[in-house]
Amino acid sequence: MARGKLRIYLGAAPGVGKTYAMLSEAHRRIERGTDCVVAVVEHHHRPRTEVMLHGLEQVPRKELAYRDTVFTEMDVDAVLARRPQVALVDELAHTNIPGSRNAKRWQDVEELLEAGIDVVSTVNIQHLESLGDVVESITGIRQQETVPDEVVRRTDQIELVDMSPQALRRRMAHGNIYQPDKVDAALSNYFRPGNLTALRELALLWVADRVDAYLQQYRSEHQVSRIWGSRERIVVGLTGGPEGRTLIRRAARLAEKGAGGEVLAVYIARSDGLTSASPKELAVQRTLVEDLGGTFHHVIGDDIPEALLEFARGVNATQIVLGVSRRKGWQYVFGPGVGATVARDSGPDLDVHLITHDEAGKGRGLPVARGARLGRARIIWGWLIGVVGPVLLALLLTNVPAELGLANNVLLFLSLTVAAALLGGRWPALASAAFGSALLNWFFTPPVHTWTIADPRNIVAIAVFFAVAASVASVVDLAARRTEQAARLRAESEILSFLAGSVLRGETSLEALLERVRETFGMESVALLERENDVAPWTCAGRVGGAQPVERPDDADVDMPVGDHMALALSGRVLPASDRRVLAAFAAQAAVVLDRQRLQHEAEQARALAEGNRIRTALLAAVSHDLRTPLAGIKASVSSLRSDDISWSEEDQAELLAAIEEGADRLDHLVGNLLDMSRLQTGTLTPLIREVDLDEVVPMALGGIPDPESVVSLDIPETLPMVAVDKGLLERSVANVIENAVKYSPDGEPVAVTASVHADRVEVRVVDRGPGVPDEAKSRIFEPFQRHGDAPRGDGVGLGLAVARGFAEAMGGTLNAEDTPGGGLTMVLTLPAAPGQAPADADRPATATRS
């Protein structure tokens, strides 16, 4: 069965019209004859959205009871049984009520897609998991309901529902989004123009990146080599010289001129050592480009202009920034230079900027020190000088009236041989020596124009000439080969130094390492394959790039074994044998990174098991004493009441029954805390975040405290903004904190409970005048099964504060301990204010005060 397709309407903020657009699409599909149903739509009582539901089939929702309240959620089974072509599922990031089929609504959507049902859904940009910190820095509110980015990224179609901040605020003012009593608070808080503008830009950039990924995939699948200038992408060519910083800053300014501009700095290390790079300078330039928001890439290429253009076209760049050559004027006889070559071969779709700098024209070393692997142009020049040069020299000398003598002629021919050796290497030099010897014999040794030599001294001169020429050619060729090896080793050392540096910097991601391999060797895809034994099938531990994954090492263009059951597979081109040494280092590092990731995962599991063992040990200790104490009291009271030997008065019976009730309440409280701690430790706690008035919850938390009017003083202003919390969890958290304070507070000193608002957070402070807690113990009192000071045994198992902090953090809040001025301990519970709530004046008279 084919998997269904997912379409998402993405918005920057509530009220931009995502649900309306989704319902409009449903009406269009129904008009075309598509079987489309509404699985769940949250219209939030917006009249225009409710009207759009008319004429659409709605699958009845499933009712679930939670904390004495009935909620409705999408009925996945009913949708699967109905089996429509298209299902509308609103609010993809929604958290389902505990007891639902799945914890998150996007997990329900995955089931529908696996069943072959197409789904149309909605989500806001602030609900993407990776953007939580960014959205919190913009709005000051941490989103509790999130959806993994990968779920949205693998969507078949994403449509941005856009609206300007001014238009959205007008919709809000007209009452089209929130109820009239919440409009003013929303406009002055979450829906401020600055917040909406930032969220809108965030949504536009995220969608632009997604579109860019689609474009790269299409270009790869259709092998499009031409550049499509869909966005400004600027490649900076670095040589490792001091001018690199100037180029990077210039490229960053160019990128700022166009929205969404991107800077990619690339350093190309070639085997012939054309550039003399400083590792320290490259490290500085790498940090600079990353600080400016760009990326750094390290690539190997024998032909620097060709490698640079290939990289630029591979990343769909629109501009290349290069520095003016540092070579002196006379050095241009060896070629036009990288900048001129790139500008000539870039084509009409790639702009090249040559940037002047302070190092221009100051020189960069002798060309012979650079040479290692001879290029085609130098070999051609070597053959021309070695073969044509002697002929021209012989014609010139024969037409000179003055006789220079055989010795001078030999030196002139020897200079051509040396020039041929320097340019073309051994074979042009040997050819020049042989050809020059023949010309010397024919034209300049008597008898001329014959191959015989009359004077024996001339024979020695020609023989010495050939020997010297051959020796020079051999020495030059040996030097070139040694230089090539040294340059090759230097290039390898640069790559390995970057590899070691990435490890030292903590870049231990397997995907990042594989991407580095792909860029370094210019491959289309890289995959790390492994198997359990020699006959087991290969599985992919990690891969980057390429539309078609490599499933076996035999299918790859290059495979590098790592041990007996692991291999690094590369596709794109066949690498020379000289590159396999560096590739082996990458492969070994990839295996190490994979092992480290698995060891970290196992270490986390081991820590969880160790923590579980510690908690179980403490739980056994708690059961052996703390839980048996109330049980013993209950048992004694019941045994006394059932005794036939004693006739109890009504007062005595009432006292025994009260003792039974007190022991049962204490036992229920202890068991409740144990169960809550178990939920926190196993990660099964799912808060139901709703807007709640604090002055309604805190008084309810005093229900388990005897005579609360005399031991607790409440000061919770009704003017406080509503908080976004789970009402039940907040009540339990506040109750545990207050009960702990009452337990340690001296007689006659009531515990003070106050609340105030600070920016987008609401603080609840529980103040006692007890003995207090030292600074070094303030963190330990929140650990499970910890009790501080002389707390009497039987009063609890040391879970109250641990559960309270766990509940607070699950709701996006915090719980910390501070010293009370004058002695005692103050517990500060910080909670997030509900979105759109305006901060109230906490200094106004409190109408919910009780003392």
Side-chain angles (χ1 to χ4, degrees), residues 768-771 819-825:
D768 68 65
R769 294 293 178 178
D819 291 329
T820 301
L825 188 69

Side-chain angles (χ1 to χ4, degrees), residues 418-436:
V418 172
L422 292 175
L423 289 176
R426 175 192 297 178
W427 297 112
L430 291 177
S432 177
F435 203 38

Side-chain angles (χ1 to χ4, degrees), residues 662-702:
E662 179 183 356
D665 291 340
R666 182 184 300 174
L667 187 61
D668 178 70
H669 180 72
L670 294 175
V671 172
N673 277 338
L674 288 172
L675 293 176
D676 291 336
M677 198 67 228
S678 174
R679 294 167 63 198
L680 289 171
Q681 293 291 335
T682 57
T684 58
L685 180 69
T686 304
L688 181 62
I689 304 299
R690 294 287 187 269
E691 295 183 3
V692 176
D693 283 321
L694 200 61
D695 59 343
E696 296 179 359
V697 178
V698 175
M700 297 173 59
L702 305 179

Side-chain angles (χ1 to χ4, degrees), residues 737-752:
V737 173
I738 295 177
E739 288 174 7
N740 183 79
V742 170
K743 180 170 61 177
Y744 286 97
S745 186
D747 295 337
E749 291 286 348
V751 173

Side-chain angles (χ1 to χ4, degrees), residues 732-742 766 800-801 804 815 827 829:
R732 293 291 303 277
S733 181
V734 173
N736 283 358
V737 173
I738 295 177
E739 288 174 7
N740 183 79
V742 170
V766 180
L801 293 182
L815 178 62
M827 290 291 179
L829 176 62

